[in-house]
């Protein structure tokens, strides 16, 4: 069973305004080590979604990340381009996109500690990602909500 074939799979299009950071918005700040720990917890928390999926459900051990994930943000992400038409996305916006689509839940407030923590943790995950180790068969195939290249 595809871990990413969640309730969000029926999303055909995504209004890019939903996942575009509002002008002037700044991520919450705090102790980087605490944000990282909180983000690590959120990464594995199925309660963050409405369908029992966690970030780790698709991306455990760098699973379902495509080689482009190693590029600095903002960059193109096929899933987002296909669903919303956005040509580039920032990391915090990508987190929000995953919350809406595969995790089938609501956005986190843009200035929330939770979004800052999760974005901080994903940035750490990105630093340890090696494109040559990208999962050859994406478990989140294009037919599914987190399909496309990350």
């Amino acid at each position: 069973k595809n871990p990413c074939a969640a309730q969000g799979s029926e999303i055909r299009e995504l209004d890019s305004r939903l996942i575009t950071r509002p002008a002037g918005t700044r991520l919450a700040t705090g102790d980087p080590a605490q944000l990282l720990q909180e983000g690590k917890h959120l990464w594995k928390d199925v309660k963050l979604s409405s369908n029992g999926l966690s970030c780790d459900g698709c991306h455990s051990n760098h699973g379902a990340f495509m080689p482009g994930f190693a590029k600095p943000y903002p960059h193109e992400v096929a899933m987002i381009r296909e669903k919303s038409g956005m040509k580039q996305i920032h990391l915090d916006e990508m987190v929000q996109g995953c919350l809406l689509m595969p995790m089938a839940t609501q956005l986190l407030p843009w200035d929330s500690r939770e979004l800052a923590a999760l974005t901080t943790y994903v940035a750490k995950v990105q630093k340890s990602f090696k494109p040559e180790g990208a999962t050859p068969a994406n478990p989140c195939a294009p037919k599914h909500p987190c399909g496309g290249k990350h």
Side-chain angles (χ1 to χ4, degrees):
K1 183 179 176 187
N2 180 344
C4 305
Q7 293 173 8
S9 62
E10 59 273 355
I11 294 176
R12 302 262 187 264
E13 291 185 28
L14 176 65
D15 184 342
S16 63
R17 294 173 294 189
L18 292 174
I19 59 171
T20 299
R21 181 186 329 119
T25 299
R26 303 243 187 269
L27 288 177
T29 58
D31 176 56
Q34 284 183 328
L35 285 172
L36 192 61
Q37 279 303 109
E38 290 172 28
K40 183 177 182 179
H41 172 75
L42 290 168
W43 176 260
K44 296 180 180 186
D45 191 352
V46 297
K47 294 177 189 167
L48 194 58
S49 73
S50 71
N51 56 20
L53 191 63
S54 70
C55 303
D56 194 56
C58 283
H59 301 298
S60 179
N61 298 316
H62 296 136
F65 288 130
M66 299 307 285
F69 180 64
K71 295 178 185 176
Y73 281 91
H75 67 247
E76 181 181 18
V77 175
M79 173 181 76
I80 298 298
R81 181 182 35 79
E82 291 165 6
K83 299 289 186 182
S84 73
M86 291 174 72
K87 294 189 182 352
Q88 290 196 337
I89 191 164
H90 290 88
L91 184 54
D92 57 331
E93 295 168 330
M94 187 66 233
V95 168
Q96 297 281 42
C98 283
L99 288 168
L100 279 179
M101 289 184 288
M103 295 175 75
T105 194
Q106 297 179 11
L107 298 173
L108 292 169
W110 287 99
D111 59 354
S112 70
R113 185 166 177 91
E114 291 86 0
L115 180 58
L118 197 48
T119 301
T120 298
Y121 185 74
V122 176
K124 181 181 184 216
V125 169
Q126 183 190 28
K127 287 177 184 172
S128 66
F129 175 71
K130 304 291 183 239
E132 61 275 2
T135 306
N138 185 348
C140 304
K143 293 180 186 174
H144 299 291
C146 56
K149 297 178 182 176
H150 288 185

